[in-house]
Amino acid sequence: MSRKGKKTIEGKIVEVRDGSRRISRTYTYGYRSLRIISGNEYYSVLVNTNKFNKYGFIPKVGQCIRVTGRVSENENEFYEASISWVSQLEHIECPKKGK
């Protein structure tokens, strides 16, 4: 089951994985897969590495981000949902924890 539509989430990056896929002999597509925790839900976010200059930063573990993209539910239990076709990715300040 999948629900399609744009969604914006804010969360903290807890895991980063790099990868690549060969599209043709001359073109290799690079991506970075981010695991984000937002509240008590986990999201998987797939980011094209060619767009890092557009976003202005390279996502790393421990950073808080705001991401907008197409959402689809996963069939497995590891992530609540996946976000692909990212249209906005920005670094934000992490919320301060209250005492």
XYZ file of all heavy atoms in Angstrom:
807
model
N 0.848 -1.177 0.000
C 0.000 0.000 0.000
C 0.886 1.230 0.000
O 1.832 1.320 0.752
C -0.884 -0.027 1.244
C -1.757 1.159 1.380
S -2.743 0.989 2.879
C -3.970 2.178 2.499
N 0.582 2.189 -0.815
C 1.379 3.404 -0.835
C 0.470 4.616 -0.879
O -0.577 4.607 -1.489
C 2.326 3.414 -2.033
O 1.593 3.516 -3.213
N 0.887 5.649 -0.193
C 0.168 6.913 -0.259
C 1.122 7.919 -0.864
O 2.228 8.108 -0.394
C -0.328 7.349 1.110
C 0.750 7.519 2.124
C 0.159 7.789 3.504
N 1.153 7.394 4.466
C 1.872 8.245 5.178
N 1.680 9.523 5.084
N 2.782 7.806 6.018
N 0.705 8.516 -1.927
C 1.564 9.449 -2.647
C 1.135 10.867 -2.327
O -0.024 11.147 -2.137
C 1.481 9.205 -4.144
C 1.842 7.805 -4.546
C 3.220 7.752 -5.053
C 3.505 6.307 -5.432
N 4.757 6.083 -5.956
N 2.091 11.745 -2.290
C 1.825 13.148 -2.040
C 3.049 13.773 -1.410
O 3.912 13.098 -0.903
N 3.102 15.101 -1.460
C 4.242 15.805 -0.879
C 4.029 15.991 0.607
O 2.916 16.227 1.066
C 4.439 17.148 -1.548
C 5.026 17.018 -2.912
C 5.741 18.273 -3.293
C 6.521 17.978 -4.552
N 7.593 18.888 -4.744
N 5.131 15.871 1.330
C 5.080 16.037 2.772
C 6.378 16.687 3.225
O 7.429 16.449 2.647
C 4.916 14.681 3.447
C 4.777 14.751 4.944
C 4.481 13.399 5.531
C 4.268 13.517 7.038
N 3.934 12.228 7.628
N 6.298 17.506 4.256
C 7.478 18.118 4.852
C 7.638 17.578 6.258
O 6.677 17.554 7.032
C 7.332 19.655 4.906
O 7.180 20.140 3.571
C 8.545 20.297 5.536
N 8.851 17.105 6.568
C 9.142 16.631 7.915
C 10.402 17.311 8.424
O 11.243 17.749 7.652
C 9.313 15.102 7.992
C 10.501 14.646 7.155
C 8.064 14.372 7.604
C 10.989 13.265 7.532
N 10.498 17.400 9.729
C 11.708 17.882 10.384
C 12.174 16.783 11.311
O 11.363 16.164 12.008
C 11.426 19.153 11.190
C 11.086 20.331 10.346
C 10.836 21.585 11.169
O 10.887 21.525 12.416
O 10.595 22.630 10.555
N 13.476 16.530 11.300
C 13.994 15.489 12.151
C 15.503 15.494 12.199
O 16.167 16.324 11.595
N 16.035 14.528 12.943
C 17.471 14.403 13.138
C 17.977 13.194 12.361
O 17.368 12.129 12.388
C 17.782 14.228 14.625
C 19.244 14.255 14.952
C 19.438 14.263 16.449
C 20.893 14.512 16.765
N 21.085 14.685 18.209
N 19.113 13.374 11.681
C 19.717 12.284 10.911
C 20.408 11.333 11.885
O 21.254 11.746 12.672
C 20.734 12.819 9.884
C 20.053 13.774 8.907
C 21.402 11.668 9.144
C 21.014 14.500 7.981
N 20.031 10.047 11.839
C 20.632 9.048 12.723
C 21.512 8.049 11.972
O 22.282 7.321 12.595
C 19.560 8.303 13.552
C 18.879 9.255 14.524
C 18.546 7.621 12.674
N 21.399 8.017 10.633
C 22.228 7.106 9.840
C 22.356 7.648 8.423
O 21.414 8.205 7.877
C 21.597 5.715 9.797
C 22.400 4.690 9.066
C 21.731 3.323 9.027
O 20.638 3.153 9.594
O 22.318 2.432 8.418
N 23.546 7.480 7.838
C 23.815 7.924 6.471
C 24.487 6.780 5.727
O 25.412 6.160 6.235
C 24.747 9.157 6.449
C 25.127 9.526 5.031
C 24.101 10.331 7.149
N 24.015 6.517 4.515
C 24.632 5.518 3.641
C 24.800 6.109 2.260
O 23.896 6.751 1.745
C 23.769 4.260 3.538
C 23.667 3.491 4.808
C 22.906 2.227 4.595
N 22.767 1.531 5.865
C 22.133 0.406 6.005
N 21.567 -0.162 4.977
N 22.049 -0.165 7.178
N 25.971 5.893 1.677
C 26.236 6.356 0.320
C 26.107 5.195 -0.649
O 26.375 4.051 -0.296
C 27.641 6.943 0.202
C 27.775 8.250 0.963
O 26.816 9.038 0.928
O 28.819 8.476 1.576
N 25.705 5.512 -1.863
C 25.576 4.475 -2.874
C 25.630 5.060 -4.265
O 25.682 6.269 -4.450
N 25.640 4.183 -5.243
C 25.620 4.634 -6.634
C 24.965 3.565 -7.484
O 24.949 2.389 -7.126
C 27.032 4.914 -7.147
O 27.800 3.741 -7.122
N 24.414 4.003 -8.586
C 23.806 3.095 -9.561
C 24.288 3.493 -10.935
O 24.312 4.657 -11.279
C 22.286 3.204 -9.536
C 21.672 2.569 -8.359
C 20.248 2.156 -8.695
N 19.733 1.423 -7.574
C 18.618 1.678 -6.954
N 17.871 2.655 -7.361
N 18.232 0.953 -5.950
N 24.636 2.532 -11.719
C 25.064 2.799 -13.086
C 23.831 2.823 -13.970
O 23.093 1.862 -14.073
C 26.040 1.722 -13.556
C 26.564 2.000 -14.957
C 27.763 1.143 -15.279
N 28.908 1.420 -14.440
C 29.749 2.433 -14.604
N 29.532 3.300 -15.549
N 30.773 2.584 -13.813
N 23.593 3.966 -14.611
C 22.470 4.133 -15.523
C 22.873 3.678 -16.925
O 22.134 2.997 -17.608
C 21.997 5.599 -15.558
C 21.620 6.075 -14.160
C 20.854 5.797 -16.518
C 20.471 5.341 -13.525
N 24.062 4.070 -17.335
C 24.594 3.660 -18.632
C 26.109 3.532 -18.486
O 26.647 3.718 -17.402
C 24.243 4.691 -19.711
O 24.931 5.898 -19.466
N 26.781 3.249 -19.568
C 28.245 3.129 -19.490
C 28.913 4.438 -19.104
O 29.963 4.444 -18.493
C 28.807 2.683 -20.836
C 28.595 1.237 -21.099
C 29.391 0.845 -22.304
N 28.523 0.148 -23.228
C 28.825 -0.147 -24.450
N 29.978 0.227 -24.954
N 27.988 -0.809 -25.203
N 28.290 5.550 -19.450
C 28.926 6.844 -19.217
C 28.340 7.604 -18.033
O 28.900 8.613 -17.626
C 28.786 7.731 -20.464
O 27.403 7.887 -20.769
C 29.500 7.105 -21.654
N 27.237 7.160 -17.466
C 26.603 7.929 -16.399
C 26.345 7.046 -15.185
O 25.732 5.994 -15.279
C 25.272 8.526 -16.881
C 24.604 9.374 -15.831
C 25.089 10.642 -15.525
C 23.506 8.904 -15.132
C 24.494 11.424 -14.552
C 22.899 9.681 -14.164
C 23.405 10.937 -13.886
O 22.810 11.704 -12.921
N 26.858 7.495 -14.043
C 26.598 6.824 -12.773
C 25.857 7.788 -11.874
O 26.274 8.936 -11.694
C 27.913 6.382 -12.098
O 28.592 5.492 -12.973
C 27.650 5.687 -10.783
N 24.765 7.342 -11.329
C 23.911 8.147 -10.457
C 24.350 7.924 -9.018
O 24.388 6.805 -8.537
C 22.464 7.700 -10.680
C 21.472 8.177 -9.655
C 21.013 9.480 -9.663
C 20.969 7.309 -8.695
C 20.086 9.914 -8.743
C 20.034 7.731 -7.774
C 19.603 9.039 -7.796
O 18.690 9.468 -6.890
N 24.719 8.995 -8.326
C 25.116 8.893 -6.928
C 23.990 9.338 -6.025
O 23.237 10.253 -6.352
N 23.870 8.697 -4.887
C 22.824 9.076 -3.944
C 23.302 8.887 -2.516
O 24.266 8.173 -2.255
C 21.532 8.290 -4.181
C 21.670 6.801 -3.986
C 21.460 6.222 -2.741
C 22.009 5.967 -5.039
C 21.597 4.855 -2.560
C 22.133 4.601 -4.864
C 21.931 4.055 -3.623
O 22.065 2.709 -3.438
N 22.632 9.524 -1.604
C 22.877 9.354 -0.176
C 21.544 9.018 0.465
O 20.560 9.722 0.276
C 23.473 10.627 0.413
C 23.794 10.504 1.891
C 24.648 11.636 2.358
N 26.033 11.261 2.096
C 27.079 11.854 2.642
N 26.909 12.861 3.458
N 28.293 11.454 2.366
N 21.520 7.927 1.197
C 20.318 7.493 1.883
C 20.417 7.926 3.346
O 21.388 7.616 4.031
C 20.197 5.967 1.793
O 19.102 5.516 2.538
N 19.413 8.645 3.810
C 19.392 9.160 5.172
C 18.297 8.473 5.971
O 17.194 8.271 5.470
C 19.114 10.670 5.165
C 19.930 11.534 4.223
C 19.399 12.956 4.246
C 21.392 11.493 4.597
N 18.600 8.121 7.201
C 17.572 7.629 8.114
C 17.336 8.742 9.120
O 18.258 9.196 9.794
C 18.038 6.362 8.822
C 16.974 5.775 9.715
C 17.434 4.467 10.320
N 16.362 3.889 11.081
C 16.534 3.011 12.053
N 17.745 2.587 12.341
N 15.514 2.529 12.705
N 16.085 9.190 9.192
C 15.728 10.345 10.007
C 14.714 9.930 11.058
O 13.782 9.174 10.774
C 15.128 11.449 9.121
C 16.172 11.932 8.134
C 14.598 12.599 9.961
C 15.631 12.900 7.125
N 14.883 10.460 12.262
C 13.875 10.266 13.295
C 13.155 11.595 13.496
O 13.782 12.637 13.658
C 14.469 9.730 14.618
C 13.351 9.404 15.597
C 15.489 10.681 15.202
C 13.788 8.558 16.766
N 11.837 11.539 13.401
C 10.986 12.711 13.591
C 9.928 12.319 14.611
O 9.063 11.497 14.321
C 10.340 13.116 12.270
O 9.479 14.209 12.453
N 10.028 12.882 15.795
C 9.151 12.440 16.879
C 9.571 11.034 17.265
O 10.708 10.802 17.644
N 8.670 10.079 17.101
C 9.039 8.681 17.339
C 8.829 7.841 16.083
O 8.637 6.639 16.166
C 8.284 8.102 18.530
C 6.787 8.302 18.419
O 6.323 8.949 17.497
N 6.051 7.748 19.346
N 8.882 8.481 14.914
C 8.772 7.784 13.636
C 10.079 7.904 12.868
O 10.744 8.935 12.909
C 7.648 8.370 12.786
C 6.274 8.181 13.358
C 5.197 8.755 12.448
O 5.541 9.420 11.456
O 4.024 8.539 12.740
N 10.442 6.828 12.165
C 11.629 6.822 11.323
C 11.237 6.985 9.862
O 10.230 6.434 9.427
C 12.409 5.511 11.484
C 13.171 5.431 12.775
C 12.624 4.789 13.876
C 14.431 5.998 12.887
C 13.318 4.713 15.062
C 15.139 5.924 14.071
C 14.578 5.280 15.157
O 15.270 5.209 16.336
N 12.045 7.739 9.121
C 11.847 7.936 7.691
C 13.143 7.628 6.971
O 14.229 7.866 7.493
C 11.455 9.393 7.381
C 10.101 9.780 7.884
C 9.926 10.295 9.151
C 8.981 9.632 7.081
C 8.684 10.662 9.618
C 7.726 9.989 7.532
C 7.585 10.503 8.805
O 6.351 10.858 9.255
N 13.020 7.122 5.770
C 14.142 6.921 4.879
C 14.048 7.996 3.803
O 13.012 8.165 3.186
C 14.050 5.532 4.242
O 14.997 5.390 3.230
N 15.156 8.726 3.596
C 15.171 9.817 2.612
C 16.290 9.547 1.620
O 17.432 9.331 2.016
C 15.385 11.183 3.285
C 15.418 12.292 2.248
C 14.306 11.445 4.321
N 15.971 9.552 0.334
C 16.945 9.316 -0.728
C 17.254 10.633 -1.410
O 16.363 11.289 -1.943
C 16.382 8.315 -1.737
C 17.364 7.695 -2.693
C 18.397 6.868 -1.942
C 16.625 6.802 -3.670
N 18.538 11.059 -1.368
C 18.952 12.361 -1.887
C 19.963 12.167 -3.005
O 20.948 11.447 -2.840
C 19.579 13.220 -0.766
C 20.010 14.565 -1.291
C 18.625 13.385 0.390
N 19.744 12.822 -4.132
C 20.671 12.798 -5.261
C 21.899 13.634 -4.888
O 21.774 14.809 -4.556
C 19.982 13.376 -6.491
C 20.818 13.313 -7.737
O 22.037 13.175 -7.687
N 20.166 13.423 -8.874
N 23.100 13.057 -4.964
C 24.314 13.779 -4.570
C 24.643 14.926 -5.517
O 25.361 15.843 -5.129
C 25.521 12.834 -4.473
O 25.693 12.157 -5.718
C 25.339 11.817 -3.366
N 24.139 14.911 -6.724
C 24.373 16.020 -7.651
C 23.688 17.302 -7.190
O 24.008 18.377 -7.677
C 23.880 15.669 -9.058
C 24.751 14.639 -9.723
O 25.930 14.515 -9.416
N 24.166 13.880 -10.629
N 22.752 17.201 -6.264
C 22.002 18.383 -5.813
C 22.523 18.960 -4.503
O 21.931 19.887 -3.965
C 20.525 18.024 -5.678
C 19.908 17.683 -7.021
C 18.431 17.551 -6.924
C 17.853 17.282 -8.308
N 16.411 17.154 -8.258
N 23.647 18.452 -3.982
C 24.183 18.993 -2.733
C 24.506 20.477 -2.848
O 24.309 21.232 -1.909
C 25.419 18.215 -2.280
C 25.106 16.881 -1.667
C 26.103 15.939 -1.550
C 23.856 16.556 -1.205
C 25.849 14.699 -0.984
C 23.577 15.325 -0.642
C 24.585 14.393 -0.527
N 25.024 20.916 -4.008
C 25.321 22.342 -4.192
C 24.047 23.175 -4.121
O 24.042 24.277 -3.586
C 26.031 22.595 -5.521
C 27.478 22.181 -5.465
O 28.068 22.078 -4.400
N 28.052 21.925 -6.623
N 22.952 22.649 -4.655
C 21.665 23.352 -4.609
C 21.195 23.508 -3.162
O 20.683 24.554 -2.778
C 20.632 22.576 -5.420
C 19.233 23.125 -5.339
C 18.251 22.244 -6.077
C 16.821 22.648 -5.793
N 15.869 21.703 -6.325
N 21.373 22.453 -2.363
C 20.921 22.481 -0.974
C 21.878 23.249 -0.069
O 21.480 23.732 0.977
C 20.730 21.065 -0.451
C 19.746 20.249 -1.249
C 20.031 18.937 -1.600
C 18.532 20.777 -1.673
C 19.137 18.182 -2.341
C 17.633 20.031 -2.416
C 17.948 18.727 -2.746
O 17.065 17.987 -3.468
N 23.153 23.334 -0.444
C 24.111 24.131 0.310
C 24.824 23.424 1.442
O 25.564 24.049 2.190
N 24.619 22.134 1.609
C 25.335 21.386 2.641
C 25.303 19.901 2.309
O 24.510 19.450 1.486
C 24.728 21.633 4.026
C 23.400 20.953 4.253
C 23.316 19.815 5.034
C 22.240 21.448 3.697
C 22.099 19.191 5.248
C 21.023 20.836 3.904
C 20.953 19.697 4.682
N 26.189 19.158 2.957
C 26.225 17.705 2.807
C 25.646 17.107 4.088
O 26.173 17.346 5.180
C 27.657 17.200 2.576
C 28.199 17.764 1.266
C 27.699 15.674 2.575
C 29.650 17.437 0.997
N 24.544 16.353 3.990
C 23.907 15.787 5.180
C 24.822 14.797 5.904
O 25.438 13.939 5.282
C 22.675 15.066 4.627
C 22.454 15.635 3.272
C 23.793 16.051 2.768
N 24.905 14.956 7.240
C 25.730 14.091 8.084
C 24.945 13.689 9.327
O 23.993 14.354 9.712
C 27.009 14.816 8.495
C 27.893 15.171 7.325
C 29.114 15.914 7.771
C 29.918 16.324 6.544
N 30.952 17.275 6.865
N 25.387 12.609 9.974
C 24.746 12.121 11.191
C 24.791 13.207 12.261
O 25.802 13.874 12.446
C 25.440 10.835 11.690
C 24.911 10.416 13.051
C 25.273 9.711 10.695
N 23.673 13.392 12.954
C 23.579 14.358 14.037
C 22.971 15.688 13.628
O 22.564 16.463 14.488
N 22.904 15.977 12.325
C 22.304 17.226 11.864
C 20.784 17.124 11.894
O 20.227 16.054 11.686
C 22.734 17.549 10.434
C 24.179 17.895 10.278
C 24.545 18.138 8.824
O 23.962 17.564 7.916
N 25.541 18.980 8.615
N 20.146 18.248 12.136
C 18.696 18.317 12.033
C 18.365 18.949 10.689
O 19.033 19.889 10.257
C 18.106 19.146 13.168
S 18.252 18.315 14.760
N 17.355 18.395 10.019
C 17.010 18.863 8.685
C 15.501 18.988 8.532
O 14.729 18.398 9.287
C 17.549 17.925 7.581
C 16.958 16.513 7.708
C 19.055 17.885 7.593
C 17.277 15.615 6.520
N 15.118 19.765 7.538
C 13.729 19.856 7.083
C 13.740 19.379 5.644
O 14.516 19.872 4.822
C 13.219 21.293 7.157
C 11.773 21.440 6.687
C 11.294 22.880 6.782
N 11.375 23.365 8.150
C 12.061 24.453 8.532
N 12.734 25.169 7.649
N 12.091 24.817 9.787
N 12.907 18.401 5.321
C 12.895 17.828 3.980
C 11.469 17.772 3.453
O 10.538 17.472 4.191
C 13.569 16.431 3.970
C 12.834 15.460 4.868
C 13.689 15.866 2.580
N 11.319 18.108 2.168
C 10.036 18.023 1.487
C 10.210 17.115 0.281
O 11.161 17.264 -0.477
C 9.560 19.403 1.009
O 9.467 20.272 2.132
C 8.204 19.318 0.322
N 9.296 16.168 0.118
C 9.366 15.252 -1.010
C 8.153 14.366 -1.086
O 7.204 14.500 -0.310
N 8.197 13.428 -2.025
C 7.097 12.493 -2.244
C 7.195 11.365 -1.219
O 8.238 10.764 -1.043
C 7.171 11.923 -3.647
C 5.964 11.093 -4.018
C 6.082 10.482 -5.380
N 6.323 11.484 -6.406
C 6.736 11.184 -7.624
N 6.977 9.940 -7.964
N 6.915 12.132 -8.518
N 6.085 11.078 -0.558
C 6.047 10.068 0.502
C 5.402 8.791 0.005
O 4.413 8.816 -0.713
C 5.250 10.594 1.719
C 5.114 9.534 2.782
C 5.899 11.823 2.289
N 5.990 7.669 0.378
C 5.365 6.368 0.136
C 5.627 5.478 1.333
O 6.703 5.515 1.924
C 5.901 5.734 -1.146
O 7.283 5.509 -1.037
N 4.623 4.698 1.734
C 4.771 3.797 2.862
C 5.615 2.601 2.451
O 5.560 2.156 1.314
C 3.404 3.317 3.348
C 2.590 4.401 4.000
C 1.258 3.898 4.484
O 0.965 2.701 4.319
O 0.508 4.706 5.018
N 6.377 2.081 3.401
C 7.177 0.879 3.158
C 6.401 -0.352 3.576
O 5.607 -0.314 4.508
C 8.489 0.938 3.948
C 9.479 1.887 3.329
O 9.355 2.258 2.176
N 10.458 2.272 4.109
N 6.680 -1.443 2.880
C 6.033 -2.698 3.239
C 6.723 -3.345 4.441
O 6.126 -4.088 5.180
C 6.054 -3.687 2.062
C 5.075 -3.341 0.958
C 5.539 -2.195 0.078
O 6.765 -2.007 -0.078
O 4.678 -1.479 -0.439
N 8.032 -3.047 4.627
C 8.735 -3.649 5.758
C 8.516 -2.807 7.009
O 7.966 -1.722 6.968
C 10.235 -3.810 5.453
C 10.922 -2.479 5.211
O 10.440 -1.439 5.610
N 12.047 -2.525 4.554
N 8.963 -3.298 8.138
C 8.724 -2.640 9.409
C 9.870 -1.725 9.829
O 9.790 -1.078 10.850
C 8.517 -3.705 10.499
C 7.350 -4.629 10.233
C 6.014 -3.918 10.343
O 5.891 -3.040 11.215
O 5.107 -4.230 9.570
N 10.958 -1.649 9.027
C 12.147 -0.924 9.453
C 11.919 0.580 9.457
O 12.339 1.282 10.362
C 13.324 -1.296 8.547
C 14.654 -0.913 9.102
C 15.087 -1.441 10.307
C 15.466 -0.024 8.439
C 16.313 -1.091 10.834
C 16.693 0.331 8.947
C 17.123 -0.207 10.147
N 11.268 1.112 8.440
C 10.970 2.534 8.359
C 9.472 2.707 8.288
O 8.762 1.903 7.722
C 11.570 3.165 7.099
C 13.064 3.099 7.026
C 13.693 2.299 6.076
C 13.843 3.839 7.877
C 15.065 2.241 6.000
C 15.219 3.788 7.801
C 15.827 2.994 6.866
O 17.178 2.943 6.782
N 8.997 3.805 8.841
C 7.576 4.137 8.736
C 7.227 4.485 7.296
O 6.247 4.014 6.750
C 7.256 5.319 9.662
C 5.810 5.685 9.727
C 4.976 4.674 10.465
O 5.509 3.964 11.320
O 3.781 4.586 10.160
N 8.053 5.308 6.661
C 7.786 5.749 5.289
C 9.092 6.154 4.623
O 10.094 6.389 5.279
C 6.809 6.914 5.285
N 9.049 6.243 3.292
C 10.189 6.714 2.510
C 9.845 8.038 1.864
O 8.709 8.257 1.457
C 10.528 5.721 1.399
O 11.052 4.552 1.937
N 10.851 8.898 1.747
C 10.683 10.165 1.048
C 11.672 10.169 -0.102
O 12.871 10.017 0.096
C 10.917 11.363 1.970
C 9.893 11.340 3.096
C 10.848 12.656 1.185
C 10.010 12.468 4.074
N 11.134 10.305 -1.307
C 11.970 10.375 -2.497
C 11.545 11.602 -3.298
O 10.637 12.310 -2.918
C 11.833 9.097 -3.323
O 10.483 8.873 -3.652
N 12.181 11.833 -4.413
C 11.917 13.014 -5.237
C 11.949 14.267 -4.364
O 10.988 15.045 -4.305
C 10.590 12.892 -5.981
C 10.566 11.771 -6.937
C 10.092 10.507 -6.708
C 11.072 11.758 -8.272
N 10.258 9.724 -7.804
C 10.861 10.471 -8.797
C 11.683 12.715 -9.070
C 11.243 10.123 -10.073
C 12.060 12.367 -10.343
C 11.832 11.087 -10.827
N 13.055 14.433 -3.639
C 13.211 15.537 -2.696
C 13.219 16.870 -3.443
O 14.001 17.077 -4.364
C 14.511 15.372 -1.877
C 14.769 16.579 -1.011
C 14.446 14.099 -1.043
N 12.320 17.778 -3.051
C 12.267 19.093 -3.677
C 12.905 20.159 -2.798
O 13.306 21.211 -3.290
C 10.819 19.480 -3.991
O 10.058 19.517 -2.813
N 12.995 19.899 -1.503
C 13.614 20.850 -0.584
C 14.339 20.075 0.501
O 13.813 19.111 1.046
C 12.569 21.756 0.055
C 13.139 22.705 1.076
C 12.064 23.423 1.876
O 10.901 23.035 1.859
N 12.452 24.459 2.584
N 15.563 20.500 0.800
C 16.344 19.918 1.891
C 17.127 21.061 2.509
O 17.894 21.730 1.824
C 17.296 18.844 1.364
C 18.168 18.159 2.406
C 17.321 17.239 3.284
C 19.265 17.357 1.736
N 16.880 21.316 3.787
C 17.607 22.399 4.427
C 18.038 22.006 5.828
O 17.359 21.252 6.521
C 16.804 23.697 4.445
C 15.536 23.656 5.227
C 14.782 24.974 5.174
O 15.363 26.018 5.560
O 13.626 24.953 4.745
N 19.206 22.526 6.213
C 19.763 22.306 7.528
C 19.081 23.270 8.494
O 18.954 24.455 8.187
C 21.271 22.553 7.486
C 21.956 22.324 8.779
N 22.223 23.340 9.651
C 22.438 21.201 9.337
C 22.836 22.849 10.715
N 22.977 21.550 10.535
N 18.612 22.776 9.624
C 17.966 23.628 10.641
C 18.639 23.390 11.983
O 19.361 22.409 12.160
C 16.438 23.356 10.742
C 16.167 21.894 11.115
C 15.737 23.726 9.458
C 14.723 21.587 11.396
N 18.423 24.299 12.895
C 18.948 24.132 14.260
C 18.132 23.062 14.969
O 16.902 23.026 14.871
C 18.873 25.449 15.040
C 19.807 26.502 14.500
C 21.271 26.110 14.643
O 21.656 25.556 15.690
O 22.034 26.353 13.692
N 18.823 22.196 15.692
C 18.126 21.171 16.458
C 17.390 21.823 17.619
O 17.912 22.745 18.242
C 19.126 20.145 17.001
S 19.878 19.128 15.729
N 16.167 21.349 17.889
C 15.424 21.929 19.021
C 16.133 21.615 20.334
O 16.693 20.540 20.507
C 14.061 21.239 18.956
C 14.195 20.116 18.008
C 15.431 20.329 17.198
N 16.125 22.586 21.229
C 16.755 22.383 22.542
C 15.829 21.574 23.411
O 14.628 21.813 23.449
C 17.074 23.721 23.181
C 18.058 24.510 22.356
C 18.578 25.682 23.098
C 19.532 26.405 22.140
N 20.529 27.133 22.796
N 16.410 20.591 24.081
C 15.618 19.740 24.968
C 15.362 20.452 26.281
O 16.261 21.037 26.859
C 16.341 18.420 25.219
C 16.492 17.586 23.979
C 17.159 16.290 24.300
C 17.317 15.475 23.024
N 17.951 14.204 23.244
N 14.107 20.395 26.726
C 13.754 21.011 28.002
C 14.189 20.142 29.160
O 14.348 18.936 29.031
N 14.416 20.755 30.293
C 14.864 20.002 31.476
C 13.697 19.503 32.257
O 12.676 20.015 32.356
C 15.751 20.867 32.359
C 17.053 21.185 31.693
C 17.933 21.969 32.609
C 19.256 22.277 31.939
N 20.144 23.029 32.776
